[in-house]
Amino acid sequence: MREFGLTGGIGSGKSTVSSLLADRGATIIDADAIVRRLQQPGELVFEAMVDRWGSNVLCDDGSLDRAAVGQIVFHDSSELDALNAIVHPAVAAETSRLVDAVKDTNAVVIHDIPLLVLPGGELMTSRDHQHWGGIIVVDTPEVLAIERVMASRGMEREAIVARMDAQASRSDRRNVADFVIDNSGDLDQLTAEVDRLWDWIGEAS
Ligand code: ADP
């Protein structure tokens, strides 16, 4: 087994790259999907969040109200720390379980982690990146990323820009990259970039 990190800003095309890598046989471990799963009612992270914030973070149907959580942590760094202390260890444990399942195979494991690079360029500390074969960054001019997210998710430009401003910059991510995927072209060009990446992963073995 070999492990790599994959990251990119909102609208960079990271999910598209992830699925092109899955088509080529990579095992994708999707951090956001793990968080969503663990935030289902009855799951570990859900229970810990309700313990801390009570019914303030619940929708009428008993599911987690993500927008309410966002409101609580957005302006208060101690609440954000508390959220991270709940989420990160649980996600790390689930990730280890998924990695263990393929550790004796020749799988190429891709850790798809949107927030791997923190603002300023540090790496998220709760991940075992010392053992990875490299960090892959999907790099896209902001103007294109904004247009693509507006078209695909119907988000407002201001909301996308606010998200970008709160996250690592393009150069923060590029500075830690071992491989940069340029997604400034069309989807055919992105596919060619992923082929170039897949060759690089093969050579890195
Ligand atoms: P991310 O996961 O980084 O937020 P996505 O992979 O979901 O980004 O891409 C955002 C949107 O842009 C999707 O609708 C995707 O199909 C589209 N997209 C990604 N790359 C390109 C490209 N090179 N040309 C045109 N559309 C693209």
Side-chain angles (χ1 to χ4, degrees):
M1 173 195 72
R2 280 164 302 131
E3 295 173 86
F4 298 84
L6 172 67
T7 195
I10 180 172
S12 61
K14 182 187 59 59
S15 306
T16 309
V17 168
S18 214
S19 86
L20 289 167
L21 286 169
D23 293 346
R24 285 156 181 74
T27 300
I28 309 296
I29 300 186
D30 178 336
D32 270 359
I34 292 174
V35 174
R36 280 196 300 275
R37 180 146 38 87
L38 295 179
Q39 286 180 337
Q40 296 299 313
E43 298 288 338
L44 207 70
V45 170
F46 175 88
E47 296 298 337
M49 291 175 73
V50 175
D51 274 352
R52 177 158 182 112
W53 292 295
S55 57
N56 295 336
V57 292
L58 290 179
C59 300
D60 288 344
D61 67 0
S63 64
L64 189 71
D65 185 344
R66 280 166 225 280
V69 177
Q71 287 299 324
I72 291 171
V73 303
F74 193 68
H75 299 289
D76 185 336
S77 65
S78 67
E79 298 289 6
L80 181 60
D81 290 345
L83 177 64
N84 286 335
I86 292 170
V87 171
H88 287 169
V91 174
E94 177 63 3
T95 299
S96 299
R97 201 181 62 75
L98 295 171
V99 168
D100 280 352
V102 295
K103 76 172 187 307
D104 297 326
T105 71
N106 57 7
V108 171
V109 173
I110 304 287
H111 294 277
D112 175 340
I113 310 177
L115 301 181
L116 176 63
V117 185
L118 305 173
E122 294 291 310
L123 293 177
M124 185 187 264
T125 51
S126 58
R127 293 319 191 89
D128 210 9
H129 30 75
Q130 310 79 269
H131 299 119
W132 293 352
I135 292 176
I136 302 152
V137 166
V138 186
D139 182 53
T140 307
E142 280 95 352
V143 58
L144 284 178
I146 291 168
E147 275 172 19
R148 288 172 185 165
V149 175
M150 286 174 70
S152 64
R153 283 172 233 169
M155 274 175 79
E156 300 284 340
R157 179 182 300 274
E158 292 69 28
I160 303 165
V161 171
R163 189 85 69 87
M164 284 177 166
D165 287 348
Q167 296 180 354
S169 67
R170 281 177 76 194
S171 64
D172 289 338
R173 288 193 197 85
R174 278 198 307 249
N175 285 341
V176 299
D178 297 291
F179 192 101
V180 177
I181 294 255
D182 173 5
N183 191 18
S184 59
D186 61 18
L187 284 169
D188 285 343
Q189 285 168 302
L190 180 59
T191 304
E193 282 289 278
V194 173
D195 284 332
R196 191 171 69 81
L197 168 63
W198 195 242
D199 287 346
W200 177 80
I201 287 174
E203 285 158 17
S205 57

